[in-house]
Amino acid sequence: QVQLVESGGGVVQPGGSLRLSCAASGIIFSDEMMGWYRHFPGRQRELVARIDNSGSATFYASSVKGRFTISRDNAKNTVYLQMNSLKAEDAAVYYCNLPMRLSSWGQGTQVTVSS
């Protein structure tokens, strides 16, 4: 079955950067679109960014466009989210998943933005 393991979260000051990673298994990674989502308490998960299977096409939520960059390494079955210029409102638990066929959610990785 699909397994998704997120890492890279932590505590960062406003304006800082973090790079999240998601290792996927149980799929033919190079065939799959991948996405990053985030979950705020009391709200549904929202799509932050997605990338097509080859890495040539990306989409970003308007709230992160220009600050976040999604990328992937198909040789490592890993998708990344580089987050720059972090704001307090970016604080959330971040998850990866397959936008075209959502699978079981991993444990996520907590991002805290605080001075």
Side-chain angles (χ1 to χ4, degrees):
Q1 68 275 19
V2 180
Q3 288 194 318
L4 304 165
V5 179
E6 301 91 350
S7 62
V11 180
V12 63
Q13 292 185 340
S17 298
L18 283 173
R19 188 195 194 203
L20 308 184
S21 299
C22 168
S25 60
I27 58 174
I28 302 175
F29 186 78
S30 58
D31 285 351
E32 301 282 359
M33 175 181 289
M34 297 298 297
W36 280 97
Y37 299 77
R38 62 187 180 185
H39 187 210
F40 301 106
R43 292 165 54 180
Q44 288 189 331
R45 286 185 184 92
E46 63 178 36
L47 179 68
V48 174
R50 64 174 184 253
I51 187 167
D52 74 350
N53 64 313
S54 68
S56 61
T58 57
F59 165 84
Y60 297 93
S62 57
S63 56
V64 307
K65 199 167 187 179
R67 300 187 297 122
F68 290 12
T69 302
I70 188 171
S71 62
R72 66 190 295 157
D73 185 338
N74 285 350
K76 295 182 178 180
N77 286 8
T78 300
V79 60
Y80 305 98
L81 186 68
Q82 177 67 43
M83 306 188 296
N84 298 330
S85 303
L86 282 161
K87 305 176 181 179
E89 52 263 41
D90 295 317
V93 181
Y94 285 72
Y95 301 85
C96 65
N97 213 311
L98 286 65
M100 300 302 290
R101 56 181 185 103
L102 289 178
S103 300
S104 297
W105 296 95
Q107 84 287 351
T109 187
Q110 176 74 53
V111 172
T112 302
V113 184
S114 174
S115 55

